[in-house]
Amino acid sequence: MATLPTVPQPTATTRWRCTLCGNLTRFDVTRSSKTVEYVHLDLAGEPTVEEREVVSETIESVRCRWCNAVDQIELVDRPGAGS
């Protein structure tokens, strides 16, 4: 089974940047997640998710919206993160 490359996760002090065009703000993110949800059904049977717990989450790919580069991102410091 092939292992997918790990996409770096942004943190409180870092953000994504496209290494090809420099984009810092627009990305399409494909992610898989495993969640546990508390679903409340009203009397008509309409569901409403009232609680959601993310058990695990994996970012599979990130595509730059400006240049369409796939998985060409890096982590850079956020402005003011060192303050």
Side-chain angles (χ1 to χ4, degrees):
M1 176 183 242
T3 304
L4 294 172
T6 303
V7 177
Q9 291 267 11
T11 67
T13 60
T14 61
R15 64 181 177 174
W16 285 333
R17 178 183 175 279
C18 178
T19 60
L20 298 182
C21 72
N23 170 31
L24 292 165
T25 60
R26 303 286 191 267
F27 301 95
D28 288 319
V29 180
T30 302
R31 70 178 81 224
S32 295
S33 59
K34 182 177 181 180
T35 61
V36 176
E37 297 176 336
Y38 168 63
V39 178
H40 177 205
L41 301 172
D42 66 16
L43 294 177
E46 289 296 320
T48 301
V49 176
E50 293 189 356
E51 295 176 15
R52 176 177 288 131
E53 175 188 355
V54 177
V55 177
S56 65
E57 185 173 63
T58 303
I59 295 178
E60 296 176 6
S61 69
V62 178
R63 182 176 60 86
C64 175
R65 270 288 178 116
W66 288 1
C67 71
N68 285 324
V70 177
D71 296 330
Q72 295 295 317
I73 61 161
E74 63 182 353
L75 291 178
V76 296
D77 290 335
R78 290 186 189 206
S83 305

